[in-house]
Amino acid sequence: MSEIQALLDELAALPRTGPAGPAEAEALVARLRSAAARWAEVLYEADGAARLHLPPRAEAALRLAFRRAEESYVELEIALRDCAENRDAVG
């Protein structure tokens, strides 16, 4: 479960104040994307390890949680790509 601790450390290190500008906002999105990827990996591994021991609804809930985490990662990837495209268009 050291992966979970690493994720918690990563989340705890996120700034508590809003970004001061576009560059900090883009960096924040990048860090959030990284955390989302880790969370999706944790859920995927938990699903694989626990699948045989869970009742059907619990298994389905865990699989759904993984899919939602994966969707969050994809949305953050899109946001980060948009930041980069906007930066390139302005710069």
Side-chain angles (χ1 to χ4, degrees):
M1 289 293 154
S2 63
E3 185 69 23
I4 292 174
Q5 187 58 51
L7 174 60
L8 291 173
D9 293 343
E10 189 171 348
L11 293 172
L14 289 172
R16 300 286 183 228
T17 59
E24 284 186 19
E26 184 175 350
L28 176 60
V29 171
R31 292 174 72 184
L32 291 169
R33 180 195 60 175
S34 174
R38 282 183 180 225
W39 180 234
E41 288 173 10
V42 167
L43 289 172
Y44 180 79
E45 290 171 7
D47 180 47
R51 178 176 294 163
L52 299 175
H53 306 289
L54 292 174
R57 283 184 289 188
E59 180 185 350
L62 187 55
R63 193 167 297 128
L64 180 60
F66 163 69
R67 284 197 303 259
R68 288 181 175 162
E70 193 174 43
E71 288 171 1
S72 293
Y73 168 79
V74 169
E75 292 298 331
L76 290 164
E77 180 68 29
I78 291 167
L80 191 58
R81 190 175 329 125
D82 188 54
C83 288
E85 288 172 1
N86 190 324
R87 178 178 20 100
D88 293 343
V90 173

CSV table of all heavy atoms in Angstrom, one decimal, residues 12-73:
chain,number,residue,atom,x,y,z
A,12,ALA,N,-1.2,15.9,-0.6
A,12,ALA,CA,-0.9,16.8,0.5
A,12,ALA,C,0.1,17.9,0.0
A,12,ALA,O,0.0,19.0,0.6
A,12,ALA,CB,-0.3,16.1,1.7
A,13,ALA,N,0.9,17.7,-1.0
A,13,ALA,CA,1.8,18.7,-1.4
A,13,ALA,C,1.2,19.7,-2.4
A,13,ALA,O,1.9,20.7,-2.8
A,13,ALA,CB,3.0,18.0,-2.1
A,14,LEU,N,-0.1,19.4,-2.8
A,14,LEU,CA,-0.7,20.4,-3.7
A,14,LEU,C,-0.9,21.7,-3.0
A,14,LEU,O,-1.1,21.8,-1.8
A,14,LEU,CB,-2.1,19.9,-4.1
A,14,LEU,CG,-2.1,18.7,-5.1
A,14,LEU,CD1,-3.5,18.2,-5.3
A,14,LEU,CD2,-1.4,19.1,-6.4
A,15,PRO,N,-0.7,22.8,-3.7
A,15,PRO,CA,-0.8,24.2,-3.1
A,15,PRO,C,-2.3,24.4,-2.6
A,15,PRO,O,-3.2,23.9,-3.1
A,15,PRO,CB,-0.5,25.1,-4.3
A,15,PRO,CG,-0.7,24.4,-5.5
A,15,PRO,CD,-0.5,22.9,-5.2
A,16,ARG,N,-2.3,25.1,-1.4
A,16,ARG,CA,-3.6,25.4,-0.8
A,16,ARG,C,-4.2,26.7,-1.3
A,16,ARG,O,-5.3,27.0,-1.0
A,16,ARG,CB,-3.4,25.4,0.7
A,16,ARG,CG,-2.9,24.1,1.3
A,16,ARG,CD,-4.0,23.1,1.3
A,16,ARG,NE,-3.5,21.9,2.0
A,16,ARG,CZ,-3.7,20.7,1.5
A,16,ARG,NH1,-4.3,20.5,0.3
A,16,ARG,NH2,-3.2,19.6,2.1
A,17,THR,N,-3.5,27.4,-2.1
A,17,THR,CA,-4.0,28.6,-2.6
A,17,THR,C,-4.1,28.5,-4.1
A,17,THR,O,-3.5,27.6,-4.8
A,17,THR,CB,-3.0,29.8,-2.4
A,17,THR,OG1,-1.7,29.5,-2.9
A,17,THR,CG2,-2.8,30.0,-0.9
A,18,GLY,N,-4.9,29.3,-4.7
A,18,GLY,CA,-5.1,29.3,-6.2
A,18,GLY,C,-3.9,29.7,-6.9
A,18,GLY,O,-3.0,30.4,-6.4
A,19,PRO,N,-3.8,29.2,-8.2
A,19,PRO,CA,-2.6,29.6,-9.0
A,19,PRO,C,-2.6,31.1,-9.3
A,19,PRO,O,-3.6,31.8,-9.4
A,19,PRO,CB,-2.9,28.8,-10.3
A,19,PRO,CG,-4.3,28.4,-10.3
A,19,PRO,CD,-4.8,28.4,-8.9
A,20,ALA,N,-1.4,31.6,-9.4
A,20,ALA,CA,-1.2,33.1,-9.6
A,20,ALA,C,-1.3,33.4,-11.0
A,20,ALA,O,-1.4,34.6,-11.4
A,20,ALA,CB,0.2,33.5,-9.0
A,21,GLY,N,-1.3,32.5,-11.9
A,21,GLY,CA,-1.4,32.8,-13.3
A,21,GLY,C,-1.5,31.5,-14.2
A,21,GLY,O,-1.6,30.4,-13.6
A,22,PRO,N,-1.5,31.7,-15.5
A,22,PRO,CA,-1.7,30.5,-16.4
A,22,PRO,C,-0.6,29.4,-16.2
A,22,PRO,O,-0.9,28.2,-16.2
A,22,PRO,CB,-1.6,31.1,-17.8
A,22,PRO,CG,-2.0,32.6,-17.6
A,22,PRO,CD,-1.5,32.9,-16.2
A,23,ALA,N,0.6,29.8,-16.0
A,23,ALA,CA,1.7,28.8,-15.9
A,23,ALA,C,1.5,28.0,-14.6
A,23,ALA,O,1.6,26.7,-14.6
A,23,ALA,CB,3.0,29.5,-15.8
A,24,GLU,N,1.1,28.6,-13.5
A,24,GLU,CA,0.9,27.9,-12.3
A,24,GLU,C,-0.4,27.0,-12.4
A,24,GLU,O,-0.5,25.9,-11.8
A,24,GLU,CB,0.7,28.8,-11.1
A,24,GLU,CG,2.1,29.3,-10.6
A,24,GLU,CD,1.9,30.2,-9.3
A,24,GLU,OE1,0.9,30.1,-8.6
A,24,GLU,OE2,2.9,30.9,-9.0
A,25,ALA,N,-1.4,27.5,-13.1
A,25,ALA,CA,-2.6,26.7,-13.3
A,25,ALA,C,-2.3,25.5,-14.1
A,25,ALA,O,-2.8,24.4,-13.8
A,25,ALA,CB,-3.7,27.6,-14.0
A,26,GLU,N,-1.5,25.6,-15.2
A,26,GLU,CA,-1.1,24.5,-16.0
A,26,GLU,C,-0.3,23.5,-15.2
A,26,GLU,O,-0.6,22.2,-15.3
A,26,GLU,CB,-0.3,24.9,-17.2
A,26,GLU,CG,0.0,23.8,-18.1
A,26,GLU,CD,0.7,24.3,-19.4
A,26,GLU,OE1,0.8,25.5,-19.7
A,26,GLU,OE2,1.2,23.4,-20.1
A,27,ALA,N,0.6,24.0,-14.3
A,27,ALA,CA,1.3,23.1,-13.5
A,27,ALA,C,0.4,22.3,-12.5
A,27,ALA,O,0.6,21.1,-12.2
A,27,ALA,CB,2.4,23.9,-12.7
A,28,LEU,N,-0.6,23.0,-12.0
A,28,LEU,CA,-1.5,22.4,-11.1
A,28,LEU,C,-2.3,21.3,-11.8
A,28,LEU,O,-2.4,20.2,-11.2
A,28,LEU,CB,-2.5,23.4,-10.5
A,28,LEU,CG,-3.6,22.9,-9.6
A,28,LEU,CD1,-3.0,22.2,-8.3
A,28,LEU,CD2,-4.5,24.0,-9.1
A,29,VAL,N,-2.8,21.6,-13.0
A,29,VAL,CA,-3.5,20.5,-13.7
A,29,VAL,C,-2.6,19.3,-14.0
A,29,VAL,O,-3.0,18.2,-13.9
A,29,VAL,CB,-4.0,21.1,-15.0
A,29,VAL,CG1,-4.6,20.0,-15.9
A,29,VAL,CG2,-5.1,22.2,-14.7
A,30,ALA,N,-1.3,19.6,-14.3
A,30,ALA,CA,-0.4,18.5,-14.5
A,30,ALA,C,-0.2,17.6,-13.3
A,30,ALA,O,-0.2,16.4,-13.3
A,30,ALA,CB,1.0,19.0,-15.0
A,31,ARG,N,-0.1,18.3,-12.1
A,31,ARG,CA,0.0,17.5,-10.9
A,31,ARG,C,-1.3,16.7,-10.5
A,31,ARG,O,-1.2,15.6,-10.1
A,31,ARG,CB,0.4,18.4,-9.7
A,31,ARG,CG,1.8,19.0,-9.9
A,31,ARG,CD,2.1,20.0,-8.9
A,31,ARG,NE,2.3,19.4,-7.6
A,31,ARG,CZ,2.6,20.1,-6.5
A,31,ARG,NH1,2.6,21.4,-6.5
A,31,ARG,NH2,2.7,19.5,-5.3
A,32,LEU,N,-2.4,17.4,-10.8
A,32,LEU,CA,-3.7,16.7,-10.6
A,32,LEU,C,-3.8,15.5,-11.5
A,32,LEU,O,-4.3,14.4,-11.1
A,32,LEU,CB,-4.9,17.6,-10.8
A,32,LEU,CG,-5.0,18.7,-9.7
A,32,LEU,CD1,-6.0,19.8,-10.2
A,32,LEU,CD2,-5.4,18.1,-8.4
A,33,ARG,N,-3.4,15.6,-12.8
A,33,ARG,CA,-3.4,14.5,-13.7
A,33,ARG,C,-2.6,13.4,-13.2
A,33,ARG,O,-3.0,12.2,-13.3
A,33,ARG,CB,-3.0,15.0,-15.1
A,33,ARG,CG,-3.0,13.8,-16.1
A,33,ARG,CD,-2.2,14.2,-17.3
A,33,ARG,NE,-0.8,14.5,-17.0
A,33,ARG,CZ,0.2,14.7,-17.8
A,33,ARG,NH1,0.0,14.7,-19.1
A,33,ARG,NH2,1.4,14.9,-17.4
A,34,SER,N,-1.4,13.7,-12.7
A,34,SER,CA,-0.5,12.6,-12.1
A,34,SER,C,-1.2,11.9,-11.0
A,34,SER,O,-1.2,10.7,-10.9
A,34,SER,CB,0.8,13.3,-11.7
A,34,SER,OG,1.6,12.3,-11.0
A,35,ALA,N,-1.8,12.7,-10.1
A,35,ALA,CA,-2.5,12.1,-9.0
A,35,ALA,C,-3.7,11.2,-9.4
A,35,ALA,O,-3.9,10.1,-8.9
A,35,ALA,CB,-3.0,13.2,-8.0
A,36,ALA,N,-4.4,11.7,-10.4
A,36,ALA,CA,-5.5,10.9,-11.0
A,36,ALA,C,-5.1,9.6,-11.6
A,36,ALA,O,-5.7,8.6,-11.4
A,36,ALA,CB,-6.3,11.7,-12.0
A,37,ALA,N,-3.9,9.6,-12.2
A,37,ALA,CA,-3.4,8.4,-12.8
A,37,ALA,C,-3.0,7.4,-11.7
A,37,ALA,O,-3.3,6.2,-11.8
A,37,ALA,CB,-2.1,8.7,-13.7
A,38,ARG,N,-2.4,7.9,-10.7
A,38,ARG,CA,-2.0,7.0,-9.5
A,38,ARG,C,-3.3,6.4,-8.9
A,38,ARG,O,-3.3,5.3,-8.6
A,38,ARG,CB,-1.2,7.8,-8.5
A,38,ARG,CG,0.2,8.0,-8.8
A,38,ARG,CD,0.9,8.7,-7.7
A,38,ARG,NE,2.3,9.0,-8.0
A,38,ARG,CZ,3.2,8.7,-7.2
A,38,ARG,NH1,3.0,8.3,-5.9
A,38,ARG,NH2,4.5,9.0,-7.5
A,39,TRP,N,-4.3,7.3,-8.7
A,39,TRP,CA,-5.5,6.8,-8.1
A,39,TRP,C,-6.2,5.7,-8.9
A,39,TRP,O,-6.6,4.7,-8.4
A,39,TRP,CB,-6.5,7.9,-7.8
A,39,TRP,CG,-7.8,7.5,-7.2
A,39,TRP,CD1,-9.0,7.8,-7.6
A,39,TRP,CD2,-7.9,6.8,-5.9
A,39,TRP,NE1,-9.9,7.2,-6.7
A,39,TRP,CE2,-9.3,6.6,-5.7
A,39,TRP,CE3,-7.0,6.2,-5.0
A,39,TRP,CZ2,-9.8,5.9,-4.6
A,39,TRP,CZ3,-7.5,5.6,-3.9
A,39,TRP,CH2,-8.9,5.4,-3.7
A,40,ALA,N,-6.2,5.9,-10.2
A,40,ALA,CA,-6.8,4.9,-11.2
A,40,ALA,C,-6.0,3.6,-11.1
A,40,ALA,O,-6.5,2.5,-11.0
A,40,ALA,CB,-6.8,5.4,-12.6
A,41,GLU,N,-4.6,3.7,-11.0
A,41,GLU,CA,-3.8,2.5,-10.8
A,41,GLU,C,-4.1,1.8,-9.5
A,41,GLU,O,-4.2,0.5,-9.5
A,41,GLU,CB,-2.3,2.9,-10.9
A,41,GLU,CG,-1.9,3.3,-12.3
A,41,GLU,CD,-0.4,3.8,-12.2
A,41,GLU,OE1,0.3,3.7,-11.2
A,41,GLU,OE2,0.0,4.4,-13.3
A,42,VAL,N,-4.2,2.5,-8.4
A,42,VAL,CA,-4.6,1.9,-7.1
A,42,VAL,C,-5.9,1.1,-7.2
A,42,VAL,O,-6.0,0.0,-6.8
A,42,VAL,CB,-4.6,3.0,-6.0
A,42,VAL,CG1,-5.2,2.4,-4.7
A,42,VAL,CG2,-3.2,3.5,-5.7
A,43,LEU,N,-6.9,1.8,-7.8
A,43,LEU,CA,-8.2,1.1,-7.9
A,43,LEU,C,-8.1,-0.1,-8.8
A,43,LEU,O,-8.8,-1.1,-8.5
A,43,LEU,CB,-9.2,2.1,-8.4
A,43,LEU,CG,-9.6,3.2,-7.4
A,43,LEU,CD1,-10.5,4.2,-8.0
A,43,LEU,CD2,-10.3,2.6,-6.2
A,44,TYR,N,-7.4,0.0,-9.9
A,44,TYR,CA,-7.3,-1.1,-10.8
A,44,TYR,C,-6.6,-2.3,-10.1
A,44,TYR,O,-7.1,-3.5,-10.2
A,44,TYR,CB,-6.5,-0.7,-12.1
A,44,TYR,CG,-6.3,-1.8,-13.1
A,44,TYR,CD1,-7.3,-2.2,-13.9
A,44,TYR,CD2,-5.1,-2.5,-13.1
A,44,TYR,CE1,-7.2,-3.2,-14.8
A,44,TYR,CE2,-5.0,-3.6,-14.1
A,44,TYR,CZ,-6.0,-3.9,-14.9
A,44,TYR,OH,-5.8,-4.9,-15.8
A,45,GLU,N,-5.5,-2.1,-9.4
A,45,GLU,CA,-4.9,-3.1,-8.7
A,45,GLU,C,-5.7,-3.7,-7.6
A,45,GLU,O,-5.7,-4.9,-7.4
A,45,GLU,CB,-3.5,-2.6,-8.1
A,45,GLU,CG,-2.5,-2.3,-9.2
A,45,GLU,CD,-1.3,-1.6,-8.7
A,45,GLU,OE1,-1.1,-1.5,-7.5
A,45,GLU,OE2,-0.4,-1.2,-9.5
A,46,ALA,N,-6.5,-2.9,-6.9
A,46,ALA,CA,-7.4,-3.3,-5.8
A,46,ALA,C,-8.4,-4.2,-6.4
A,46,ALA,O,-8.8,-5.3,-5.8
A,46,ALA,CB,-8.0,-2.2,-5.1
A,47,ASP,N,-9.0,-3.8,-7.6
A,47,ASP,CA,-10.0,-4.6,-8.2
A,47,ASP,C,-9.5,-6.0,-8.6
A,47,ASP,O,-10.1,-7.0,-8.3
A,47,ASP,CB,-10.5,-3.9,-9.4
A,47,ASP,CG,-11.6,-4.7,-10.2
A,47,ASP,OD1,-12.6,-5.2,-9.5
A,47,ASP,OD2,-11.5,-4.8,-11.4
A,48,GLY,N,-8.3,-6.0,-9.1
A,48,GLY,CA,-7.7,-7.3,-9.5
A,48,GLY,C,-7.4,-8.2,-8.3
A,48,GLY,O,-7.7,-9.4,-8.4
A,49,ALA,N,-7.0,-7.6,-7.2
A,49,ALA,CA,-6.6,-8.4,-6.0
A,49,ALA,C,-7.8,-8.8,-5.3
A,49,ALA,O,-7.8,-9.9,-4.7
A,49,ALA,CB,-5.7,-7.5,-5.1
A,50,ALA,N,-8.9,-8.0,-5.3
A,50,ALA,CA,-10.0,-8.3,-4.4
A,50,ALA,C,-11.2,-9.0,-5.1
A,50,ALA,O,-12.2,-9.4,-4.5
A,50,ALA,CB,-10.5,-7.0,-3.7
A,51,ARG,N,-11.1,-9.0,-6.5
A,51,ARG,CA,-12.3,-9.5,-7.3
A,51,ARG,C,-12.9,-10.8,-6.8
A,51,ARG,O,-14.1,-10.9,-6.7
A,51,ARG,CB,-11.8,-9.6,-8.7
A,51,ARG,CG,-13.0,-10.1,-9.6
A,51,ARG,CD,-12.5,-10.1,-11.1
A,51,ARG,NE,-12.3,-8.7,-11.5
A,51,ARG,CZ,-11.7,-8.3,-12.5
A,51,ARG,NH1,-11.1,-9.2,-13.3
A,51,ARG,NH2,-11.5,-7.1,-12.8
A,52,LEU,N,-12.0,-11.7,-6.5
A,52,LEU,CA,-12.5,-13.1,-6.1
A,52,LEU,C,-13.1,-13.1,-4.7
A,52,LEU,O,-13.8,-14.1,-4.4
A,52,LEU,CB,-11.4,-14.1,-6.2
A,52,LEU,CG,-10.8,-14.3,-7.6
A,52,LEU,CD1,-9.6,-15.2,-7.5
A,52,LEU,CD2,-11.8,-14.8,-8.6
A,53,HIS,N,-12.9,-12.1,-3.9
A,53,HIS,CA,-13.4,-12.1,-2.6
A,53,HIS,C,-14.5,-11.2,-2.3
A,53,HIS,O,-15.0,-11.1,-1.1
A,53,HIS,CB,-12.2,-11.7,-1.6
A,53,HIS,CG,-11.0,-12.6,-1.9
A,53,HIS,ND1,-10.9,-13.9,-1.5
A,53,HIS,CD2,-9.8,-12.3,-2.5
A,53,HIS,CE1,-9.8,-14.4,-1.9
A,53,HIS,NE2,-9.1,-13.5,-2.5
A,54,LEU,N,-15.0,-10.5,-3.3
A,54,LEU,CA,-16.0,-9.5,-3.1
A,54,LEU,C,-17.4,-10.0,-3.6
A,54,LEU,O,-17.5,-10.7,-4.6
A,54,LEU,CB,-15.7,-8.2,-3.8
A,54,LEU,CG,-14.5,-7.4,-3.3
A,54,LEU,CD1,-14.3,-6.2,-4.3
A,54,LEU,CD2,-14.8,-6.8,-2.0
A,55,PRO,N,-18.5,-9.6,-2.9
A,55,PRO,CA,-19.8,-9.9,-3.4
A,55,PRO,C,-20.0,-9.1,-4.7
A,55,PRO,O,-19.3,-8.1,-5.0
A,55,PRO,CB,-20.8,-9.5,-2.4
A,55,PRO,CG,-20.0,-8.7,-1.4
A,55,PRO,CD,-18.5,-8.9,-1.6
A,56,PRO,N,-20.9,-9.6,-5.6
A,56,PRO,CA,-21.1,-9.0,-6.9
A,56,PRO,C,-21.2,-7.5,-6.9
A,56,PRO,O,-20.6,-6.8,-7.7
A,56,PRO,CB,-22.3,-9.7,-7.5
A,56,PRO,CG,-22.3,-11.0,-6.8
A,56,PRO,CD,-21.8,-10.7,-5.4
A,57,ARG,N,-22.1,-6.9,-6.1
A,57,ARG,CA,-22.3,-5.5,-6.1
A,57,ARG,C,-21.1,-4.7,-5.6
A,57,ARG,O,-20.7,-3.6,-6.2
A,57,ARG,CB,-23.5,-5.1,-5.2
A,57,ARG,CG,-24.8,-5.4,-5.9
A,57,ARG,CD,-26.0,-4.9,-5.1
A,57,ARG,NE,-26.1,-5.8,-3.9
A,57,ARG,CZ,-27.1,-5.8,-3.1
A,57,ARG,NH1,-28.0,-4.9,-3.2
A,57,ARG,NH2,-27.1,-6.6,-2.1
A,58,ALA,N,-20.3,-5.2,-4.7
A,58,ALA,CA,-19.1,-4.6,-4.2
A,58,ALA,C,-18.1,-4.6,-5.4
A,58,ALA,O,-17.4,-3.6,-5.6
A,58,ALA,CB,-18.6,-5.2,-3.0
A,59,GLU,N,-18.0,-5.7,-6.1
A,59,GLU,CA,-17.1,-5.8,-7.2
A,59,GLU,C,-17.4,-4.8,-8.3
A,59,GLU,O,-16.6,-4.1,-8.8
A,59,GLU,CB,-17.1,-7.3,-7.8
A,59,GLU,CG,-16.2,-7.5,-8.9
A,59,GLU,CD,-16.3,-8.8,-9.5
A,59,GLU,OE1,-17.0,-9.7,-9.0
A,59,GLU,OE2,-15.7,-9.0,-10.6
A,60,ALA,N,-18.7,-4.7,-8.6
A,60,ALA,CA,-19.2,-3.8,-9.6
A,60,ALA,C,-18.9,-2.3,-9.2
A,60,ALA,O,-18.5,-1.5,-10.0
A,60,ALA,CB,-20.7,-4.0,-9.9
A,61,ALA,N,-19.1,-2.0,-7.9
A,61,ALA,CA,-18.8,-0.7,-7.4
A,61,ALA,C,-17.3,-0.4,-7.5
A,61,ALA,O,-17.0,0.8,-7.9
A,61,ALA,CB,-19.3,-0.6,-5.9
A,62,LEU,N,-16.5,-1.3,-7.2
A,62,LEU,CA,-15.0,-1.1,-7.3
A,62,LEU,C,-14.6,-0.9,-8.8
A,62,LEU,O,-13.8,0.0,-9.1
A,62,LEU,CB,-14.3,-2.2,-6.7
A,62,LEU,CG,-12.7,-2.1,-6.6
A,62,LEU,CD1,-12.4,-0.8,-5.8
A,62,LEU,CD2,-12.1,-3.3,-5.9
A,63,ARG,N,-15.2,-1.6,-9.7
A,63,ARG,CA,-14.9,-1.5,-11.1
A,63,ARG,C,-15.4,-0.1,-11.6
A,63,ARG,O,-14.7,0.5,-12.4
A,63,ARG,CB,-15.5,-2.6,-11.9
A,63,ARG,CG,-15.0,-2.7,-13.3
A,63,ARG,CD,-15.4,-4.0,-14.0
A,63,ARG,NE,-14.8,-5.1,-13.4
A,63,ARG,CZ,-15.5,-6.2,-13.0
A,63,ARG,NH1,-16.7,-6.3,-13.2
A,63,ARG,NH2,-14.8,-7.2,-12.4
A,64,LEU,N,-16.6,0.3,-11.1
A,64,LEU,CA,-17.1,1.6,-11.5
A,64,LEU,C,-16.2,2.7,-11.0
A,64,LEU,O,-16.0,3.7,-11.7
A,64,LEU,CB,-18.5,1.8,-11.0
A,64,LEU,CG,-19.2,3.1,-11.3
A,64,LEU,CD1,-19.3,3.3,-12.8
A,64,LEU,CD2,-20.6,3.1,-10.7
A,65,ALA,N,-15.7,2.6,-9.8
A,65,ALA,CA,-14.8,3.6,-9.2
A,65,ALA,C,-13.6,3.7,-10.0
A,65,ALA,O,-13.1,4.8,-10.3
A,65,ALA,CB,-14.5,3.2,-7.8
A,66,PHE,N,-13.0,2.6,-10.5
A,66,PHE,CA,-11.9,2.6,-11.4
A,66,PHE,C,-12.2,3.3,-12.7
A,66,PHE,O,-11.4,4.2,-13.1
A,66,PHE,CB,-11.4,1.2,-11.7
A,66,PHE,CG,-10.5,1.1,-12.9
A,66,PHE,CD1,-9.2,1.7,-12.8
A,66,PHE,CD2,-10.9,0.6,-14.1
A,66,PHE,CE1,-8.4,1.7,-13.9
A,66,PHE,CE2,-10.1,0.6,-15.2
A,66,PHE,CZ,-8.8,1.1,-15.1
A,67,ARG,N,-13.3,3.0,-13.3
A,67,ARG,CA,-13.7,3.7,-14.6
A,67,ARG,C,-13.8,5.2,-14.4
A,67,ARG,O,-13.4,6.0,-15.2
A,67,ARG,CB,-14.9,3.1,-15.1
A,67,ARG,CG,-14.7,1.7,-15.8
A,67,ARG,CD,-15.8,1.3,-16.7
A,67,ARG,NE,-17.1,1.3,-16.1
A,67,ARG,CZ,-17.7,0.2,-15.6
A,67,ARG,NH1,-17.2,-1.0,-15.8
A,67,ARG,NH2,-18.9,0.2,-15.1
A,68,ARG,N,-14.4,5.6,-13.3
A,68,ARG,CA,-14.6,7.0,-13.0
A,68,ARG,C,-13.2,7.7,-12.8
A,68,ARG,O,-13.0,8.8,-13.2
A,68,ARG,CB,-15.5,7.3,-11.8
A,68,ARG,CG,-16.9,7.0,-12.2
A,68,ARG,CD,-17.9,7.2,-11.1
A,68,ARG,NE,-19.2,7.0,-11.5
A,68,ARG,CZ,-20.2,6.8,-10.7
A,68,ARG,NH1,-20.0,6.9,-9.4
A,68,ARG,NH2,-21.5,6.7,-11.1
A,69,ALA,N,-12.3,7.0,-12.1
A,69,ALA,CA,-11.0,7.6,-11.9
A,69,ALA,C,-10.2,7.7,-13.2
A,69,ALA,O,-9.6,8.7,-13.5
A,69,ALA,CB,-10.2,6.7,-10.9
A,70,GLU,N,-10.4,6.7,-14.0
A,70,GLU,CA,-9.8,6.7,-15.4
A,70,GLU,C,-10.4,7.8,-16.2
A,70,GLU,O,-9.6,8.5,-16.9
A,70,GLU,CB,-10.0,5.4,-16.1
A,70,GLU,CG,-9.2,5.1,-17.3
A,70,GLU,CD,-9.4,3.7,-17.8
A,70,GLU,OE1,-10.5,3.2,-17.9
A,70,GLU,OE2,-8.3,3.1,-18.2
A,71,GLU,N,-11.7,8.1,-16.1
A,71,GLU,CA,-12.3,9.2,-16.8
A,71,GLU,C,-11.7,10.5,-16.3
A,71,GLU,O,-11.5,11.5,-17.1
A,71,GLU,CB,-13.8,9.1,-16.7
A,71,GLU,CG,-14.5,8.0,-17.5
A,71,GLU,CD,-15.9,7.9,-17.2
A,71,GLU,OE1,-16.5,8.6,-16.3
A,71,GLU,OE2,-16.5,7.0,-17.7
A,72,SER,N,-11.5,10.6,-15.0
A,72,SER,CA,-10.9,11.9,-14.4
A,72,SER,C,-9.6,12.1,-15.0
A,72,SER,O,-9.2,13.2,-15.4
A,72,SER,CB,-10.8,11.8,-12.9
A,72,SER,OG,-12.1,11.7,-12.3
A,73,TYR,N,-8.8,11.1,-15.1
A,73,TYR,CA,-7.4,11.2,-15.7
A,73,TYR,C,-7.6,11.7,-17.2
A,73,TYR,O,-6.8,12.6,-17.5
A,73,TYR,CB,-6.7,9.9,-15.7
A,73,TYR,CG,-5.4,9.9,-16.5
A,73,TYR,CD1,-4.3,10.5,-16.0
A,73,TYR,CD2,-5.4,9.4,-17.8
A,73,TYR,CE1,-3.2,10.6,-16.8
A,73,TYR,CE2,-4.3,9.4,-18.6
A,73,TYR,CZ,-3.2,10.0,-18.1
A,73,TYR,OH,-2.0,10.1,-18.9
